Amino acid sequence: MGKAEKTMSLCLTSGKLLLRYGAETYRVEETMYRMAKAAGMHNVNTFVTLTGIFLSFRTDNEDDFLQMIRVRERYQDLSKVTAVNQVSREFTHSILSIEEAAEKLREIKKAPMNYPVWLINLASGIGGAAFSYLIGGSFIDIIPAFIGGLITTLTLVLYQKFLNVKFFAEFLAAATGVLAAVGLETGGLVQNMDQVVIGTLIPLVPGVPLTNSVRDLMSGDLMAGVARGAEAAVTSLSIAAGTVVSLSVLYF
């Protein structure tokens, strides 16, 4: 494999990892551009959408290279985004060779999440409980909101293992969380039902996609910004639909 092919593979791998784990579109494009320029490529052009990455450049021998890859899965792990950014900085400053940078990217790809799943679930429950208190102001309902948020996160992970449709998994997780909140109310553990339901659903709110959508729109990446906004909107609709369906079945 020649230098151009190695550079293409390195840049696309960096871009794919960044986009997959929650980086903004402009960050992905700029990272690939800088890495390709640092490798000695000319006429570098990058174009990134929410599901695909395009990269083209010209070598010293006037050979043109163009490649596109698909990104089908997206997660939220900003620690990996930070790690890829560090690799790109070290590569552009000639601290790492192409081979060394590629090896570091493989390690980042294989690395597990920085936090164990149980801690993430626990943090989701605590976040839901804290937010419910900010909304309702009732200390008594913090515990039911914590339980509801924890159940919502656990069921979301479970549904995503068996379903290929992300939004349907979020719909079912929202419905399950609200059913759990209603069950707690039936058991006499809830005073303010609205507060508990809000705390239960907070772990599902698409905060990172919504923030990235605004940042992409502000940076001029209109296509990616609208796509991320649409993703956040569909997620919000899934949460609302799951809530409405579960409450309608129980109360009407």
Side-chain angles (χ1 to χ4, degrees):
M1 184 183 295
K3 181 180 179 181
E5 288 82 1
K6 291 181 180 179
T7 301
M8 178 67 75
S9 176
L10 178 68
C11 294
L12 290 177
T13 301
S14 301
K16 185 175 183 178
L17 289 175
L18 288 172
L19 191 61
R20 172 179 288 179
Y21 291 106
E24 308 91 327
T25 300
Y26 76 88
R27 185 188 302 274
V28 179
E29 292 181 343
E30 184 177 357
T31 298
M32 293 194 301
Y33 177 84
R34 291 180 179 274
M35 295 181 75
K37 293 292 288 186
M41 302 300 146
H42 310 286
N43 196 25
V44 179
N45 291 284
T46 63
F47 180 71
V48 176
T49 68
L50 200 59
T51 56
I53 298 175
F54 298 82
L55 174 63
S56 68
F57 54 72
R58 180 172 295 172
T59 65
D60 291 332
N61 298 327
E62 299 298 320
D63 295 325
D64 291 317
F65 287 80
L66 169 64
Q67 191 169 337
M68 174 266 184
I69 58 172
R70 290 270 296 175
V71 179
R72 301 182 183 276
E73 299 176 336
R74 292 183 299 279
Y75 310 98
Q76 306 300 329
D77 190 348
L78 298 183
S79 64
K80 289 196 174 186
V81 173
T82 302
V84 174
N85 281 336
Q86 183 60 32
V87 171
S88 69
R89 292 189 189 99
E90 293 179 356
F91 177 74
T92 54
H93 287 83
S94 301
I95 299 175
L96 297 176
S97 64
I98 293 180
E99 292 77 12
E100 292 171 338
E103 179 60 30
K104 283 186 173 291
L105 292 179
R106 283 191 289 269
E107 293 174 359
I108 294 172
K109 182 179 180 179
K110 295 178 181 178
M113 299 181 68
N114 278 359
Y115 303 101
V117 176
W118 68 266
L119 182 58
I120 295 175
N121 293 332
L122 180 63
S124 298
I126 294 174
F131 199 90
S132 71
Y133 176 72
L134 293 176
I135 296 297
S138 172
F139 278 106
I140 297 176
D141 290 324
I142 289 179
I143 299 301
F146 169 82
I147 296 173
L150 184 62
I151 291 175
T152 299
T153 306
L154 290 173
T155 53
L156 177 63
V157 174
L158 180 63
Y159 291 139
Q160 286 179 337
K161 287 184 178 179
F162 299 99
L163 299 173
N164 293 325
V165 183
K166 171 178 176 288
F167 303 114
F168 189 52
E170 292 167 342
F171 167 83
L172 292 177
T176 304
V178 172
L179 289 175
V182 172
L184 293 171
E185 182 191 31
T186 304
L189 301 176
V190 176
Q191 288 188 347
N192 187 343
M193 185 61 179
D194 293 338
Q195 175 180 339
V196 174
V197 169
I198 290 173
T200 297
L201 298 177
I202 279 298
L204 298 177
V205 174
V208 174
L210 185 60
T211 302
N212 286 347
S213 172
V214 174
R215 295 191 66 176
D216 283 337
L217 289 172
M218 292 178 64
S219 64
D221 295 314
L222 302 182
M223 183 181 296
V226 171
R228 289 185 188 274
E231 181 184 23
V234 173
T235 296
S236 301
L237 289 174
S238 299
I239 297 171
T243 303
V244 170
V245 168
S246 58
L247 292 178
S248 299
V249 170
L250 291 171
Y251 290 111
F252 297 100

